[in-house]
Amino acid sequence: MRCRAWLLLAALLQGILASEEVGTDPLTNLRPDNVTGLIYYLYRWTGSYYNGSTTIRLQPQDNIQSSTCVGQGPIVVSFNSSLLAVTQTNGYLLQENPTGANPLAFNLKLWLEGLNLLPSENMNDGSTEDIQEISSVQMNTKDRPDDPTAAPPWKLVASHDAALTYSFQGYHNPNVSAQALRFNNTQCASLPLALYNGTLLGNQSSVLSNLSVTTEPRVRGIFSNESASLEIKGIYQGYSESGSALGGNVTIVFNGTIDEARSDRLMSNTLGSAPVWESTLGYTKTLMGETPVVHVGAGNVLGVGWGLRACVLGLVVFWGL
Ligand SMILES: *[C@@H]1O[C@H](CO)[C@@H](O)[C@H](O)[C@H]1NC(C)=O
Ligand SMILES: *[C@@H]1O[C@H](CO)[C@@H](O)[C@H](O)[C@H]1NC(C)=O
Ligand SMILES: *[C@@H]1O[C@H](CO)[C@@H](O)[C@H](O)[C@H]1NC(C)=O
Ligand SMILES: *[C@@H]1O[C@H](CO)[C@@H](O)[C@H](O)[C@H]1NC(C)=O
Ligand SMILES: *[C@@H]1O[C@H](CO)[C@@H](O)[C@H](O)[C@H]1NC(C)=O
Ligand SMILES: *[C@@H]1O[C@H](CO)[C@@H](O)[C@H](O)[C@H]1NC(C)=O
Ligand SMILES: *[C@@H]1O[C@H](CO)[C@@H](O)[C@H](O)[C@H]1NC(C)=O
Ligand SMILES: *[C@@H]1O[C@H](CO)[C@@H](O)[C@H](O)[C@H]1NC(C)=O
Ligand SMILES: *[C@@H]1O[C@H](CO)[C@@H](O)[C@H](O)[C@H]1NC(C)=O
Ligand SMILES: *[C@@H]1O[C@H](CO)[C@@H](O)[C@H](O)[C@H]1NC(C)=O
Ligand SMILES: *[C@@H]1O[C@H](CO)[C@@H](O)[C@H](O)[C@H]1NC(C)=O
């Protein structure tokens, strides 16, 4: 009863709000930046986001004499703070490079636990130096990527496996600079801590003489409205700060579960194999979840968030009279 006044006022406000929505680029995959509390530089794109952990498992190749700790078995390093984004492809890539563009994009980020992620007010690239990334494309920070015809770092194909489950697979594009990867090897008794900096080798990279590279690094992933996993296999070549070499087969595995609050609604593609999302975060959804809607008559849908604000405003106006 008290809120009759705000309903009226809200209806007026809605007209104003509706006219402010123009200007969103229909080709971009960038989300609106008005989601309160979102660490925007981690969650910039329309898609699904999974919290999880990444395990790097490297089998040092025994006949590389300069490797440290040869014969010790695999080196296993885990990054428990990992975020996998599986996102919509930017529309400019599809428009300007229809045969070269991937049907989706993935972006895996790894960092050491305890890293101070920049606060949500920071729209820029955040603590990027301390966050490692493996991305299928140069993830865009502008509506239109700088060079929409550039070859993507990973070439992917997608398939639609079940209602809300999709998978993808592909290989690292040999035309693009090799995927970098660094980690601390703490398992070597003779070296308490060795930071290795290196790359996943492709058939065009220079290689330690005893590593044989027969294929580009491979990726496969599966994701749904609940969880995701990703596996990358390749051959690693890296050097420690003291110059010792490490090389061999490497597998990078991510497993995670969806962060629903920060994901858009994944949809079933009834026409093809590419995943589709309904852009919900920033539109009908806030970080707290779906915004319930109030029907204000035919064709009028109003977010309660706005309704409440309007209510407060309405009451202020009411008491003022
Ligand atoms: C490669 O392997 C051969 C035979 O095991 C060994 O003699 C040679 O030193 C190795 N090369 C390097 C660079 O480790
Ligand atoms: C990562 O998580 C695993 C399993 O939960 C745990 O065994 C391991 O100690 C954690 N690693 C770090 C560096 O916290
Ligand atoms: C990638 O390289 C191959 C030959 O190495 C070339 O034929 C192809 O055009 C290149 N593709 C792009 C997108 O640059
Ligand atoms: C390696 O360990 C050092 C010391 O703890 C840390 O500063 C650095 O960030 C670590 N690097 C990686 C890639 O884990
Ligand atoms: C790791 O190697 C790349 C080149 O492969 C170089 O650009 C980068 O600065 C190196 N990083 C560190 C921490 O040494
Ligand atoms: C490099 O790898 C790509 C993809 O696997 C393959 O098409 C190409 O023929 C390879 N190039 C050479 C020189 O082996
Ligand atoms: C995911 O989708 C399936 C199939 O539509 C549904 O049964 C399930 O409840 C959904 N899970 C979540 C967490 O929404
Ligand atoms: C590396 O992996 C390939 C393919 O899985 C395998 O054929 C090869 O034997 C492995 N090499 C080593 C040294 O483990
Ligand atoms: C990751 O998930 C896959 C498939 O669900 C499973 O086989 C694998 O054991 C998991 N790995 C880790 C490190 O949790
Ligand atoms: C996922 O991780 C982020 C921080 O990295 C955290 O803010 C968020 O609450 C997590 N979500 C879930 C569902 O665990
Ligand atoms: C956020 O921005 C989008 C796109 O401009 C708009 O549709 C939406 O209404 C805005 N949400 C809020 C709460 O302002």
Side-chain angles (χ1 to χ4, degrees):
M1 169 191 143
R2 258 192 240 159
C3 280
R4 282 246 168 94
W6 74 252
L7 268 181
L8 228 160
L9 193 69
L12 287 172
L13 263 177
Q14 200 213 355
I16 301 165
L17 291 173
S19 64
E20 279 174 358
E21 282 174 21
V22 295
T24 306
D25 186 336
L27 288 181
T28 190
N29 59 347
L30 287 185
R31 289 170 156 177
D33 61 10
N34 58 7
V35 185
T36 308
L38 189 70
I39 303 178
Y40 192 69
Y41 73 90
L42 296 179
Y43 301 97
R44 219 181 267 278
W45 309 279
T46 300
S48 299
Y49 291 79
Y50 303 88
N51 283 352
S53 63
T54 302
T55 301
I56 298 169
R57 191 181 179 88
L58 185 132
Q59 184 63 58
Q61 203 161 310
D62 282 343
N63 60 358
I64 295 175
Q65 292 182 334
S66 53
S67 287
T68 47
C69 289
V70 155
Q72 64 161 12
I75 294 170
V76 180
V77 181
S78 288
F79 287 84
N80 288 0
S81 301
S82 305
L83 177 66
L84 176 70
V86 184
T87 80
Q88 204 174 57
T89 299
N90 182 279
Y92 289 100
L93 303 182
L94 292 165
Q95 187 184 64
E96 297 188 33
N97 190 8
T99 54
N102 289 324
L104 77 167
F106 76 82
N107 177 273
L108 175 64
K109 289 187 165 75
L110 334 166
W111 62 89
L112 292 179
E113 250 163 324
L115 178 69
N116 189 15
L117 298 171
L118 287 185
S120 52
E121 307 84 64
N122 190 296
M123 291 287 154
N124 301 320
D125 287 340
S127 332
T128 41
E129 282 207 347
D130 298 317
I131 299 179
Q132 297 195 70
E133 262 192 317
I134 303 180
S135 282
S136 62
V137 291
Q138 199 79 51
M139 299 297 280
N140 54 305
T141 59
K142 302 173 189 160
D143 285 345
R144 185 183 191 281
D146 286 333
D147 179 7
T149 60
W154 295 79
K155 188 73 191 110
L156 305 177
V157 293
S159 54
H160 186 198
D161 300 349
L164 293 179
T165 304
Y166 292 87
S167 58
F168 58 92
Q169 53 177 299
Y171 59 90
H172 193 266
N173 191 340
N175 300 43
V176 175
S177 57
Q179 175 65 51
L181 182 68
R182 57 184 199 276
F183 55 84
N184 283 320
N185 175 12
T186 54
Q187 285 170 233
C188 186
S190 64
L191 277 176
L193 182 73
L195 174 66
Y196 282 92
N197 185 21
T199 56
L200 299 185
L201 299 173
N203 56 9
Q204 292 169 348
S205 327
S206 67
V207 289
L208 293 168
S209 57
N210 285 337
L211 284 176
S212 112
V213 183
T214 54
T215 173
E216 297 299 325
R218 302 270 148 182
V219 63
R220 59 194 176 94
I222 181 163
F223 65 97
S224 72
N225 60 333
E226 294 176 345
S227 64
S229 63
L230 180 86
E231 183 188 75
I232 291 172
K233 280 178 181 271
I235 293 169
Y236 182 77
Q237 173 184 274
Y239 295 91
S240 73
E241 282 160 312
S242 64
S244 57
L246 181 64
N249 279 354
V250 69
T251 308
I252 303 166
V253 175
F254 168 89
N255 278 344
T257 53
I258 197 156
D259 187 348
E260 272 188 83
R262 290 167 186 76
S263 296
D264 292 288
R265 190 177 300 124
L266 185 62
M267 311 285 282
S268 193
N269 185 347
T270 51
L271 302 173
S273 55
V276 285
W277 285 268
E278 185 192 348
S279 297
T280 45
L281 193 67
Y283 298 94
T284 58
K285 190 172 157 183
T286 68
L287 263 195
M288 311 310 290
E290 302 291 327
T291 308
V293 291
V294 173
H295 293 271
V296 191
N300 275 341
V301 174
L302 185 67
V304 157
W306 283 106
L308 286 176
R309 273 184 230 186
C311 181
V312 171
L313 217 87
L315 287 174
V316 168
V317 170
F318 179 80
W319 292 121
L321 290 177

